[in-house]
Amino acid sequence: MKEGGVKLDHVVEIAVPDEEIVSRLAGRRVHQASGRVYHVDHNPPKEPGKDDVTGETLIQREDDQESTVRNRLSVYHDQTAPLVDYYQQWAKQDPQNAPQYHRIEGVGSVTDITRQVKEALS
């Protein structure tokens, strides 16, 4: 982007520990016919493994399985770590011309995280 003349004002990293991401995604269950989503810990169905409305069996999507999530995280880290490092170093070395780099912890309430992002961008 720098070479292309595109000016960035801010770069925001929302950091969430891998184990939190695995827990959030691997705990998700779906009622396939309706698309209703449950979570085994945060939004469990009334009867484990059953849709609250129909009583039909909930599924775990293939892309929510722990092994798939961990593989996706590995790819994410391989591709994203160099980019994060790049923007962090640029901000340290050339603060006048680099975009402002902000790291926001992505664990907490949506309201709190949204507030932190808005504050960083203002």
Side-chain angles (χ1 to χ4, degrees):
M1 297 185 96
K2 188 194 289 187
E3 290 78 21
V6 176
K7 176 141 175 51
L8 296 176
D9 295 324
H10 300 269
V11 172
V12 178
E13 174 191 8
I14 300 178
V16 180
D18 285 1
E19 291 308 312
E20 178 69 18
I21 292 170
V22 170
S23 171
R24 289 179 188 180
L25 296 178
R28 201 162 40 185
R29 301 296 184 269
V30 177
H31 178 249
Q32 199 166 16
S34 69
R36 280 184 287 279
V37 179
Y38 299 88
H39 191 280
V40 296
D41 296 321
H42 306 295
N43 182 32
K46 294 173 188 168
E47 182 181 343
K50 303 290 182 182
D51 179 58
D52 288 349
V53 176
T54 66
E56 295 171 338
T57 300
L58 301 175
I59 63 161
Q60 182 181 37
R61 298 181 333 194
E62 186 175 330
D63 62 336
D64 287 343
Q65 292 178 4
E66 183 174 344
S67 60
T68 304
V69 173
R70 289 191 185 282
N71 183 57
R72 287 169 38 207
L73 282 169
S74 176
V75 170
Y76 170 81
H77 289 302
D78 288 347
Q79 294 177 353
T80 305
L83 191 60
V84 170
D85 291 343
Y86 172 81
Y87 282 112
Q88 287 175 336
Q89 292 307 312
W90 186 14
K92 287 178 187 175
Q93 294 170 353
D94 190 7
Q96 297 298 325
N97 295 308
Q100 294 180 38
Y101 173 81
H102 310 277
R103 178 184 166 99
I104 307 293
E105 295 301 321
V107 176
S109 72
V110 172
T111 302
D112 187 46
I113 295 165
T114 301
R115 177 189 54 75
Q116 290 179 62
V117 170
K118 286 180 179 180
E119 285 175 4
L121 297 176
S122 60

